[in-house]
Amino acid sequence: MSFLQIEQVNKRFEKQAALKNINLTVEKGELVCILGPSGCGKTTLLRIIAGLEMPEEGKVVINGRDCTALPPRERNFGVVFQSYALFPNMTVEQNILFGLSGQKNKNKEEKRFRVTEVLRMVDLLDHRKKYPSQLSGGQQQRTALARAIAPGPEYLLLDEPLSALDAKVRVKLRAEICRIQRTLGITTIMVTHDQEEALTMADKIVVMNNAVVEQTGTPHEIYNRPGSPFVAGFIGTMNFYERGNALLGVRPENVTVGRDLFREDDTHWIGTVMGLEFRGSQTRVYGRLRGGLEICADIPSGEADGLGVRSGEKCCFHIPEEHFVRYPA
Ligand SMILES: Nc1ncnc2c1ncn2[C@@H]1O[C@H](COP(=O)(O)OP(=O)(O)O)[C@@H](O)[C@H]1O
Ligand SMILES: [Mg+2]
């Protein structure tokens, strides 16, 4: 049996649907990312799992128990939000102790021991006496994470925990959350609008759009076999072409660029280079095909240098047949 089951959940705010027929299962120990654009219903779904919001229809089953109508305090989870939500007048240590205040079975000594334990886990032992204002954003978010895991909850809910941080810190904390999650083996549901975050962190991704689940799958499945044009366009970049009554998608890294202008067929298309974008190891080549269709190709930068293509020149864009993803038009 799955750790968490969401069955046919519906939620509206006034007239507007925030969640439509949501079904979702989460296995014990899994890190699941709920991914989608702003306003698609991610936070509402997380709040329903937390018991902060009630669904109008549907069921939330956690560990075999119907929790749909259970208040948050009777669900055993830890939570971290985008804004750090630390108490500014308490030190790191006091913030975490506060998270333990509900644990009547632990004495003061045991609580202190637990605080040290989680501070070591998030690498903040040296900062235990500091106030939130004396910490960087990343350190504040690590404190929030320590506070969430300190009571040893059954599962962890994270709502865009990295969104307020700058890029470098975000990447570092990404790995750190994964490490802690795997060490504890704690079932974790994380909301994000950042596709890279979801791809790098998740065991399973749930892609949402407009109050519905568009696709559920592993990062590989979602990226390599996106179930709809929306998913394909939201996660990474996808070129789209209509052919007959099908819509064909192809990832830029599967398009190759050549100088051979004498071959044109279903997979070799002559076009004009409209621009080049150096991206370090890869270079993105923007092209316009006959008939005005646009295409972009990501090729190794060494190869781009070797080809020496420039804006305005003609070249051949080649897409091996096996790399087309087909959708009904
Ligand atoms: N308390 C609320 N009252 C009215 N509308 C809400 C409320 N919470 C969320 N919504 C609406 O529901 C939709 C989904 O919101 P939300 O779950 O916060 O999306 P996300 O987290 O994906 O950005 C949005 O259109 C939002 O405006
Ligand atoms: Mg949200």
Side-chain angles (χ1 to χ4, degrees), residues 13 16 18 37-44:
F13 291 109
Q16 194 207 356
S38 174
C40 71
K42 305 181 296 293
T43 294
T44 305

Side-chain angles (χ1 to χ4, degrees), residues 139-316:
Q139 291 168 334
Q140 291 187 48
Q141 219 40 343
R142 266 150 56 198
T143 306
L145 183 63
R147 187 175 63 183
I149 60 179
E154 263 186 306
Y155 57 107
L156 210 50
L157 303 177
L158 312 173
D159 193 350
E160 310 245 10
L162 307 175
S163 297
L165 306 171
D166 58 56
K168 264 244 164 70
V169 181
R170 209 155 60 209
V171 170
K172 189 156 170 265
L173 251 188
R174 215 146 79 178
E176 221 160 295
I177 290 177
C178 283
R179 176 180 58 79
I180 292 166
Q181 191 268 335
R182 303 242 135 111
T183 307
L184 298 175
I186 187 168
T187 311
T188 301
I189 302 168
M190 179 173 122
V191 161
T192 180
H193 66 267
D194 182 327
Q195 40 125 348
E196 196 177 288
E197 221 165 270
L199 288 174
T200 54
M201 295 177 74
D203 295 309
K204 187 160 91 188
I205 300 178
V206 178
V207 186
M208 289 186 64
N209 184 32
N210 275 330
V212 302
V213 171
E214 285 263 340
Q215 189 178 4
T216 301
T218 64
H220 277 87
E221 287 166 351
I222 298 278
Y223 188 81
N224 293 321
R225 289 192 299 278
S228 65
F230 169 81
V231 175
F234 189 71
I235 293 160
T237 305
M238 187 75 105
N239 295 293
F240 285 112
Y241 307 98
E242 278 175 45
R243 187 190 285 173
N245 52 5
L247 189 65
L248 300 181
V250 65
R251 297 281 187 202
E253 67 269 28
N254 293 326
V255 181
T256 59
V257 179
R259 287 289 209 172
D260 180 5
L261 303 181
F262 299 102
R263 182 161 174 206
E264 208 166 6
D265 55 35
D266 276 0
T267 62
H268 293 82
W269 300 340
I270 307 298
T272 305
V273 175
M274 303 307 290
L276 294 155
E277 214 170 71
F278 177 64
R279 299 181 164 208
S281 67
Q282 295 215 306
T283 293
R284 180 162 288 187
V285 182
Y286 291 94
R288 182 167 292 148
L289 307 174
R290 289 195 222 280
L293 274 179
E294 293 188 352
I295 189 167
C296 68
D298 288 343
I299 60 174
S301 291
E303 201 176 294
D305 292 344
L307 278 170
V309 285
R310 296 206 186 87
S311 272
E313 290 180 348
K314 291 239 182 305
C315 67
C316 177

Side-chain angles (χ1 to χ4, degrees), residues 11-24:
K11 177 78 184 173
R12 253 169 308 161
F13 291 109
E14 278 101 57
K15 284 259 147 59
Q16 194 207 356
L19 297 173
K20 289 190 233 170
N21 294 329
I22 303 291
N23 289 290
L24 172 65

